[in-house]
Amino acid sequence: MHDPFAFIKRPARRVGLLSGAAMVALFSVGQPADALVINPVFDDSWAPAPAGATTDVNNVIAEYEADFSNPVTVTVAFGWGELNGSSITSGAATTFSTSDLPPPFGPVTPFTFSQLKSFYNTAAGASGATQVLVTANAHLAAPNTLGYFIPDAEYKALTGAALDADPIDGFTGYATNFCGGGTCPYDFTGNAPAANAIDFTAVVEHELSHALSRVDYGFSSGVAGNPPPFLTPQDFFKYDCGTPNLDPKFNVTCFSFNGDATNPQGHGQTRPTAAIGSTQQTTPSTLSSAKASSRRSALPTSS
């Protein structure tokens, strides 16, 4: 999906930290304009956050709502110095409710490839589906026999229905100082940040994209060095560079929605982080994007 959030992308202003073609590939069912609604829930911890932080969150939400048009509502929690009730002292991260996750993190039975393929077939056959989605669906192949985790937001985008009754589709958390020691304060202007400062807009774009289902490494890295316990739909689009070989492992791969015949944006190589599946960025927020990707975890958290 860009990562797995299969929303329809409009002729865009910018897609920030998302690789537009991939997100389109996964969520591109034709829908009325501006139908996506992202509902922010600010945790109690957000009260001391600077006003600029809230402004940036709302601006990023408006950006995504303008770029994608599936008629679904996604609810995302925002924590200042905490992530779903747990302290976060540096960087930023995203996680999901344990009740949504397959073992070893949660109780949910993983989706099979046949089930996921059925969701794609339905979405690709719907009125208004883009050619990218149709092409992606035609090349959909199971990387291996592992089951799949589908985040709430992606399930809504693919099926139009809620996966379960969870009130929150994704949790995001932001350390009060990105570096944890006061050496890299946030810049809330939305412009290129000063030296050593972190563009908060870029960090929110990055984490919100995870909450919208752009997830991979946080899950596929396995537990304590073991093989991945399950995959995500993003693994359908990761290839050994220059080959037609699907490669869901944690390494440098290339994104493609058409069997690695082409890369839609010309920057095929991806980085082995939670951002696997998105292309390299060239916006002023590149530095913060890379930093926002730097926290790695074997837990079901994407940073």
Side-chain angles (χ1 to χ4, degrees):
M1 294 198 148
H2 28 282
D3 319 314
F5 198 49
F7 285 118
I8 295 184
K9 180 170 175 319
R10 317 183 165 296
R13 308 158 288 144
R14 63 169 179 154
V15 213
L17 302 174
L18 299 175
S19 110
M23 208 171 235
V24 172
L26 300 178
F27 292 89
S28 50
V29 179
Q31 302 294 353
D34 299 332
L36 169 64
V37 175
I38 301 173
N39 176 35
V41 173
F42 295 99
D43 297 347
D44 291 342
S45 62
W46 199 266
T54 304
T55 298
D56 284 357
V57 167
N58 289 329
N59 286 342
V60 172
I61 287 174
E63 174 188 340
Y64 283 1
E65 287 179 336
D67 283 344
F68 301 97
S69 58
N70 296 65
V72 297
T73 296
V74 177
T75 300
V76 179
F78 291 82
W80 187 252
E82 60 88 17
L83 172 67
N84 192 21
S86 297
S87 175
I88 179 170
T89 58
S90 66
T94 297
T95 191
F96 303 91
S97 172
T98 302
S99 63
D100 294 336
L101 297 168
F105 305 118
V108 178
T109 300
F111 286 94
T112 65
F113 172 74
S114 294
Q115 289 174 307
L116 202 47
K117 176 65 174 174
S118 175
F119 297 151
Y120 274 87
N121 278 334
T122 299
S127 175
T130 67
Q131 186 57 50
V132 172
L133 175 58
V134 172
T135 300
N137 180 60
H139 287 85
L140 216 59
N144 54 40
T145 58
L146 291 176
Y148 295 85
F149 162 63
I150 307 178
D152 285 350
E154 182 164 16
Y155 188 88
K156 287 180 177 180
L158 285 172
T159 69
L163 177 62
D164 52 36
D166 287 349
I168 304 295
D169 296 311
F171 298 85
T172 67
Y174 307 83
T176 57
N177 182 280
F178 196 85
C179 296
T183 57
C184 49
Y186 291 118
D187 181 294
F188 299 107
T189 66
N191 300 317
N196 298 324
I198 299 297
D199 180 2
F200 192 69
T201 294
V203 177
V204 175
E205 285 178 319
H206 184 105
E207 299 306 330
L208 185 55
S209 74
H210 285 321
L212 297 182
S213 307
R214 187 179 68 87
V215 294
D216 182 75
Y217 172 50
F219 303 95
S220 66
S221 59
V223 181
N226 293 322
F230 50 81
L231 302 177
T232 72
Q234 190 164 307
D235 288 296
F236 292 132
F237 304 95
K238 288 166 27 184
Y239 289 79
D240 289 330
C241 297
T243 79
N245 301 323
L246 279 168
D247 189 354
K249 298 187 299 294
F250 172 63
N251 57 14
V252 176
T253 55
C254 285
F255 163 77
S256 178
F257 67 86
N258 61 2
D260 204 43
T262 60
N263 177 274
Q265 293 195 357
H267 324 269
Q269 197 171 65
T270 62
R271 290 172 287 186
T273 68
I276 286 177
S278 58
T279 59
Q280 302 288 342
Q281 300 301 315
T282 56
T283 64
S285 58
T286 300
L287 177 61
S288 333
S289 313
K291 288 185 176 180
S293 315
S294 63
R295 289 182 69 247
R296 296 179 180 176
S297 172
L299 298 176
T301 300
S302 295
S303 45

